[in-house]
Amino acid sequence: MKKFNTNQSLQRNDGSISFSPRNRSLAETRTKARDGNVQRIIGKSNIFPDWFKQHIQNDESWILERPFLKAELKAFKRILSALSKTNSIECKDLHRRLYENTKSISYRSPLCPIWRHENQCELLVTARSRYFFPRVRNELYLVTVIFEFAHNLNQLEDALSKAHQKLKAVVSAMTKKRRGVVMFGTFEPDLVSPQQLHQEPSKAKMARDFGVQITDSGGWILTGHFILRAPHVETFQTILNASFPSIGWERVQIKRIRDRGTLEANIMDMLGYAGKYPEPLFNTPSKGPKRDDADRQISALRAAFTGPEFAADRVDALSFNINAAICQWALFIDRMGAKGIHFSVESAYAQKWYSESEMDYIRALDLDMCNKRGHRIEIHRDTGPFSSRRPKLKHGRYRLLKSRPMIFDNEWVTKTNCTGINLDTEYHDINSWIIVSTSQ
């Protein structure tokens, strides 16, 4: 009879706290394994630099809790291997920058699994400290948008730029309606063949709706996966559907974040899933007849990799293979950088939302605006029980509230902390962000 691990503790053997019992179990299993999947992928070769291996093996930043670590390490190994085998100056330079330990996690490249993990941890800490907590779970969603089709990497770069602009316009439209929104996530370029565009119903409908002229080289479907908090999600969905219309197929999906599991683990899972690597490049055999078939298939799609560093019409079909495609994709992702591949925003009205501890304080004063299903209306500083247009700080200074990329705001976290207030002798002045003593 199979025995199941029923240990639901978040505390690991070293005393640190995990995102979830599942993450704790995963990290401890990987730590104990002498010849586990992670150890075999890292190996003893010099494909990975020593500093990288030590970071993984020492479980720095709790990276062994990462559910998708195995797939990310395999992909990064292929990227480093492909870059090291080319004579391209651009590829050699990228390999050098990825290989060196610059004390900034591989110069903050979205290609590096360590940077991806630490970046997602930073997003989680920021989101959890201000906007995402269990009480507002009914306002949290996973958003998927299919933005555009691109025949090659040049067009894909333009599509990414337009996607950023359109998402910012959606946030602006919400602000005009005095509605808050917080959203962060990743763009995912998905390589597709002409056969998929013809034969898969959803992709065929998309191609017809976009007016795509399907060529023998296929192309890229630009999709985005984002985590959202929006108390007025119906308004948000209406604006999003109007910005990204479709006929006969589902271009926009908005789904509630599942209630099962910890909120932190769900967010990390969704961020990891959103950063998938293109399957035609990384889900292929490394050698043998099947690898030869994969090389031939990717060679037929070589025009899809046309970009600043590559002109498909000047490359022999036989010389373009999986490794060459991986190099082109890596150069593209590197050029786009974190700002191009990722998107985050906290709108002006979202910055007026009460913090988790302020909501606890409001409830303790019997002024909570909740029911059993959560908040029916958006509750923030100019609509809630304590009304102020903008938080007032010392010396009459007001916080300038405007939409911005999501960042950790230590002042906001500190000033909105109501933890430990004695209701008999103190009160929290929410308008001025100070705790005032009522005792004489």
Side-chain angles (χ1 to χ4, degrees), residues 145 235 363:
V145 181
T235 303
R363 169 170 283 180

Side-chain angles (χ1 to χ4, degrees), residues 331-368:
L331 289 170
F332 174 80
I333 297 297
D334 176 70
R335 189 171 68 254
M336 294 299 96
K339 290 184 178 179
I341 297 299
H342 302 305
F343 178 85
S344 73
V345 67
E346 48 183 343
S347 71
Y349 278 95
Q351 293 170 54
K352 296 182 181 183
W353 289 340
Y354 295 119
S355 69
E356 182 177 20
S357 65
E358 282 180 324
M359 284 190 172
D360 290 338
Y361 173 74
I362 293 170
R363 169 170 283 180
L365 295 176
D366 292 329
L367 293 171
D368 199 315

Side-chain angles (χ1 to χ4, degrees), residues 77-297:
K77 189 173 186 177
R78 286 198 169 188
I79 291 169
L80 291 175
S81 177
L83 291 172
S84 68
K85 294 176 181 178
T86 179
N87 293 322
S88 164
I89 296 176
E90 293 87 354
C91 291
K92 287 184 178 296
D93 178 64
L94 177 56
H95 181 270
R96 176 187 58 78
R97 287 182 279 132
L98 289 172
Y99 201 85
E100 290 178 352
N101 182 5
T102 60
K103 299 186 182 299
S104 60
I105 308 304
S106 211
Y107 79 98
R108 301 190 67 78
S109 170
L111 296 168
C112 178
I114 294 176
W115 179 85
R116 288 158 68 100
H117 176 69
E118 297 206 343
N119 176 65
Q120 290 170 17
C121 286
E122 289 175 7
L123 286 172
L124 175 61
V125 169
T126 301
R128 186 65 181 84
S129 68
R130 301 185 60 185
Y131 301 119
F132 290 69
F133 41 89
R135 178 171 293 182
V136 297
R137 200 158 185 160
N138 65 305
E139 300 172 358
L140 308 183
Y141 302 86
L142 175 62
V143 179
T144 300
V145 181
I146 297 177
F147 291 98
E148 204 167 326
F149 178 85
H151 284 99
N152 53 53
L153 294 180
N154 280 327
Q155 292 184 10
L156 183 59
E157 185 170 350
D158 293 336
L160 272 168
S161 176
K162 292 176 183 178
H164 276 272
Q165 293 171 7
K166 285 192 173 183
L167 287 177
K168 290 177 182 177
V170 169
V171 174
S172 296
M174 287 287 286
T175 300
K176 289 179 181 178
K177 293 182 177 293
R178 297 171 62 85
R179 303 290 186 251
V181 59
V182 172
M183 184 166 64
F184 60 97
T186 302
F187 294 100
E188 178 194 2
D190 185 18
L191 179 64
V192 292
S193 67
Q195 292 77 18
Q196 289 175 289
L197 293 171
H198 281 297
Q199 297 171 8
E200 295 184 19
S202 61
K203 291 182 173 62
K205 290 178 181 178
M206 178 214 68
R208 287 194 297 270
D209 199 17
F210 285 176
V212 173
Q213 183 178 357
I214 302 174
T215 66
D216 292 340
S217 59
W220 303 87
I221 297 176
L222 180 60
T223 305
H225 304 280
F226 309 99
I227 301 170
L228 169 76
R229 179 179 170 192
H232 288 88
V233 70
E234 297 85 1
T235 303
F236 178 81
Q237 184 156 18
T238 298
I239 295 172
L240 199 63
N241 286 336
S243 300
F244 303 100
S246 61
I247 301 175
W249 62 290
E250 197 172 25
R251 188 177 182 183
V252 173
Q253 294 182 17
I254 300 181
K255 298 180 179 179
R256 282 277 304 275
I257 290 182
R258 63 186 183 183
D259 293 328
R260 187 177 59 204
T262 67
L263 182 58
E264 292 84 357
N266 281 330
I267 290 175
M268 289 299 285
D269 282 356
M270 287 184 286
L271 289 172
Y273 171 82
K276 300 189 304 295
Y277 297 87
E279 282 195 19
L281 302 185
F282 295 96
N283 193 22
T284 57
S286 58
K287 57 184 177 180
K290 291 186 177 180
R291 173 57 183 247
D292 295 336
D293 291 340
D295 282 335
R296 284 191 290 270
Q297 292 171 10

